[in-house]
Amino acid sequence: QVQLLESGGGLVQAGGSLRLSCAASGRTFSSYAMGWFRQAPGKEREFVAVIRWSGGSTYYADSVKGRFTISRDNAKNTVYLQMNSLKPDDTAAYYCAAAFGAHMPSYEYEYDYWGQGTQVTVSS
């Protein structure tokens, strides 16, 4: 079992930055690929970014590529999402998720554990 707790959300003006954190506890954190998803009001949850268990590979949704950076610190059991040049369209609840194994999942069904989410609101 893995427990995930997100933090770092908040209200920011367009063009600003936020860094989200996701602290994991439970089974071996380094055995999991870690992803970030988001869900805006009235919309389906969508993939944002994923990082391989080793941290050596990352993959991003086109909508955030070049603005967001995912990273992880296996010694601290934490994954991060640095979000720069934020836009009002980035407003959503952001969720981290863990997928056991060495692949690079980008679909919800591929993930085994989910956090409760943290709200990000970008004002124009």
Side-chain angles (χ1 to χ4, degrees), residues 4 20 37 44 48-49 63 65 80 119 121:
L4 303 173
L20 305 183
F37 287 74
E44 294 186 352
V48 174
S63 58
K65 199 173 298 182
Y80 305 97
Q119 180 67 36
T121 303

Side-chain angles (χ1 to χ4, degrees), residues 79-93:
V79 62
Y80 305 97
L81 185 68
Q82 177 67 43
M83 305 185 296
N84 298 328
S85 302
L86 282 162
K87 307 174 182 179
D89 284 349
D90 295 318
T91 295

Side-chain angles (χ1 to χ4, degrees), residues 56-96:
S57 297
T58 58
Y59 176 65
Y60 298 91
D62 287 344
S63 58
V64 306
K65 199 173 298 182
R67 299 187 298 121
F68 290 12
T69 302
I70 188 171
S71 62
R72 67 189 294 163
D73 185 339
N74 286 345
K76 295 182 178 180
N77 285 4
T78 302
V79 62
Y80 305 97
L81 185 68
Q82 177 67 43
M83 305 185 296
N84 298 328
S85 302
L86 282 162
K87 307 174 182 179
D89 284 349
D90 295 318
T91 295
Y94 282 72
Y95 300 87
C96 72

Side-chain angles (χ1 to χ4, degrees), residues 4 6 37 45 95-98 108-109 111-116:
L4 303 173
E6 303 96 335
F37 287 74
R45 190 153 53 184
Y95 300 87
C96 72
E108 288 186 61
Y109 72 85
Y111 284 82
D112 303 296
Y113 303 100
W114 292 84
Q116 293 299 306

